[in-house]
Structures are given as C-alpha cells and as structure tokens.
Amino acid sequence: MWIIKHRSIFYILSVILIVGSIVTFFVPGIRAGIDFTGGSLAVFHFDTRPELEVFTEGFSAIAEEKGVADYTIQPTGEEAYTVRTEPITEAQKDGLADGVAEVFSENNASLEQFTNIGPTVGSELKSKAYLAIGIVLMAIVLFITFAFREVSKPIVSWKYGLATIVALAHDIIIPTGAYILYSKFFGGELDMLFISALLAILGFSVHDTIVVFDRIRENLRINATGSKKEDFELTVGRSVEQTFTRSINTSVTVFIVLLALMVFGSDVIKPFAFTLLAGIVIGTYSSIFIASPLMVTLYKQQSKK
C-alpha cells in the first residue's frame, strides 16, 4: 500500500510537527491555570459589558483598596470578565464582589462564579495529573504487549507496545502544541479540563491503533494457517488498507460532534473541544500513517540483526 511504501514522508511530517509543537512549549509557552498554581478565579457577569479598559480601570481601584495586588483580566463570552488573582480571603472576595457591583451598577454587574484553590492543592492536582498520564501510558503498553503475546513472529510482541507508545507520545505532543497556539489567540490555560482532554485522546488513539494491529494479527494467522508466504510489509499494508475506511468514518463522526461543540458551545467548553478535535485528527493520522508503518520499520531493523 502507498502508505507503507512512502512511510518516510509521514515520518518527516510528524517530526516537523513534533519539533514545532515542542518549540511552542517555550515560545509562546502556556500559562498554568489555578488548578495547578493555586489562586482565585472570579467571573463577573454584566447585562451590558463595559469596555475592557473601563473595567480594568475600575477593578484596579477596587483591588488596590481590598489589598489584591496580583491579578489578570480576560473577557469571557459577550457578557462577562474572568479575573484570576492570587489566593484571596472570603472577606476580600466579598469586597471585590460588592465593589464591582457598586462601580458598575449601570451595567448590572454581579459575581457569577468564584473558585479558590490553595497552592498546596494546586501542586497536588499537578502531581496527580502527571501520575494519571504516566499510569495510563504504562497500562496501555502492558495491555498491548499482553494482547499480542501470541504473535511473536515475524516481529516480537513487545514491539507492538513500543509502536503504540511512540504513536501516543506523538498524539500528546502535537495536540498540546496546537492548544498552546489556540490559547495564545483565543485564551486558555493548562488546567484539569485540558488534562482530561489528553486522557480522552489517549483512549481514542490507542483504540484506533489496536484495530489496525488486530487486523495485522488476523492476517498473520490466516497466512500461517494457509501456509501462505507473504512479506510482512505487504501484510501490514493490506491490513491498513482493510481498516482505512473504518478508521476514517469513525473519526469523522466524532469530528462532527466536536466541531459542533466548537461552533455552538460556550467559551468554557471551546478549549476542551478544540484539544479533543486536534487529538482526534492527529490520533487517526498516527494510527494509519505512523503506528503501522513503524511496525514495518521495526521489522526491517530486526531482520538486519
């Protein structure tokens, strides 16, 4: 199949995307949300939202009076501003809410949402997020190795797990880079919702990869039963061809749902939907164009020894 034959092109494309994504980790980088850093988040709602400069000027005076020095303001939707601050007390929260309601009374301002997370809790959430991703990756590798333990020829079973883990790393890095660029232009931060999206991407991607690998296993068994001698590269190519339409169709249905969320969803859900959208596209690509061709590359390296 042409995908296997021209696999070097797809490897190069993926390397370019991965390097570009890693660069975005540093430039422009991403701001960690209060889930990980700790702090307070307040959403102020308005019947008629004032201009950003006007709100910033009014809020600055209120914050100075209440002893809140470190804060950022971000427009949220058409009728709200989100204010992130250092961790504040209940009295400071009430003071900010009353002050905004008084200063912007003509706009019918009100405190719509308030969240306060201490730095210790934030650090704990960050550790748990990293741990969750690590456990998921380890569990997937062990499962793949176990599931394909009876397929030791012509390539050892643990290399199915290796190809899967490479594809999963590919599927985490590139959507993360895409999300960083998205957050640069449309707002967003590294929070638990983003981690949830990454975990969902891992699940979807490995599911798609297993479908292709399972077809490879079945074709190897059929070849062995019928004493058919077929080059491993041809078997992989035939397996990818047999599952290609199914993989695309499955992804398109999920893609349509997520696209609807992006277009019609609230501003809160859009970063989550975008991350999943990027993950579904990249995950489908890696299952077809990276994971399976990588099996051929590993087989050829194994054959040289």
Side-chain angles (χ1 to χ4, degrees):
M1 188 184 186
W2 60 273
I3 294 175
I4 304 300
K5 183 179 180 181
H6 300 289
R7 58 186 178 278
S8 297
I9 296 174
F10 304 114
Y11 290 166
I12 293 171
L13 176 61
S14 288
V15 168
I16 292 173
L17 290 174
I18 288 173
V19 171
S21 298
I22 291 175
V23 169
T24 66
F25 294 179
F26 305 98
V27 182
I30 187 169
R31 182 181 60 182
I34 65 170
D35 289 349
F36 297 140
T37 61
S40 300
L41 182 148
V43 179
F44 292 99
H45 179 270
F46 306 84
D47 284 352
T48 305
R49 193 176 70 181
E51 294 296 324
L52 178 60
E53 294 77 12
V54 175
F55 178 73
T56 301
E57 183 180 354
F59 184 84
S60 297
I62 300 168
E64 184 177 357
E65 181 183 344
K66 303 303 176 186
V68 179
D70 187 15
Y71 60 85
T72 59
I73 299 172
Q74 181 180 355
T76 303
E78 301 293 330
E79 300 177 338
Y81 283 114
T82 297
V83 180
R84 290 171 175 81
T85 72
E86 57 190 346
I88 60 176
T89 64
E90 192 69 17
Q92 287 176 310
K93 181 202 81 173
D94 292 340
L96 292 177
D98 293 342
V100 170
E102 181 180 349
V103 172
F104 299 96
S105 58
E106 293 183 356
N107 305 90
N108 198 17
S110 63
L111 180 61
E112 185 178 66
Q113 178 187 342
F114 180 78
T115 305
N116 195 21
I117 297 178
T120 303
V121 176
S123 178
E124 186 179 345
L125 285 174
K126 186 192 296 183
S127 300
K128 286 182 176 178
Y130 293 150
L131 182 63
I133 292 176
I135 290 175
V136 168
L137 290 175
M138 183 62 69
I140 287 173
V141 172
L142 292 176
F143 172 74
I144 296 289
T145 303
F146 176 78
F148 289 85
R149 66 191 184 283
E150 295 178 357
V151 187
S152 57
K153 294 181 180 179
I155 186 168
V156 292
S157 59
W158 64 267
K159 290 189 176 179
Y160 286 88
L162 177 62
T164 303
I165 207 70
V166 171
L168 291 179
H170 173 280
D171 298 343
I172 288 180
I173 293 172
I174 297 177
T176 299
Y179 178 72
I180 291 173
L181 293 178
Y182 172 90
S183 63
K184 172 68 176 175
F185 296 103
F186 301 103
E189 56 188 18
L190 184 62
D191 54 14
M192 289 305 294
L193 208 55
F194 173 72
I195 298 298
S196 301
L198 287 187
L199 292 174
I201 291 169
L202 289 177
F204 180 87
S205 177
V206 76
H207 170 266
D208 221 23
T209 302
I210 285 177
V211 168
V212 184
F213 283 2
D214 193 56
R215 184 54 61 93
I216 294 173
R217 177 173 60 180
E218 289 302 313
N219 284 330
L220 288 173
R221 283 177 177 171
I222 292 172
N223 289 346
T225 303
S227 300
K228 179 181 178 181
K229 293 184 178 179
E230 184 180 50
D231 189 84
F232 184 66
E233 182 173 341
L234 293 177
T235 303
V236 173
R238 188 157 55 87
S239 302
V240 172
E241 190 173 7
Q242 290 169 346
T243 55
F244 184 86
T245 303
R246 176 212 174 273
S247 297
I248 296 297
N249 288 344
T250 304
S251 300
V252 166
T253 55
V254 180
F255 183 89
I256 292 172
V257 173
L258 294 173
L259 189 62
L261 271 179
M262 277 291 296
V263 175
F264 301 109
S266 67
D267 288 343
V268 175
I269 204 69
K270 282 183 179 179
F272 176 73
F274 175 82
T275 308
L276 282 178
L277 203 60
I280 295 301
V281 173
I282 296 300
T284 303
Y285 165 78
S286 73
S287 298
I288 298 173
F289 297 93
I290 299 298
S292 299
L294 194 56
M295 292 298 296
V296 175
T297 300
L298 292 172
Y299 165 71
K300 288 185 175 297
Q301 289 180 342
Q302 178 180 294
S303 301
K304 291 178 182 177
K305 295 179 181 178

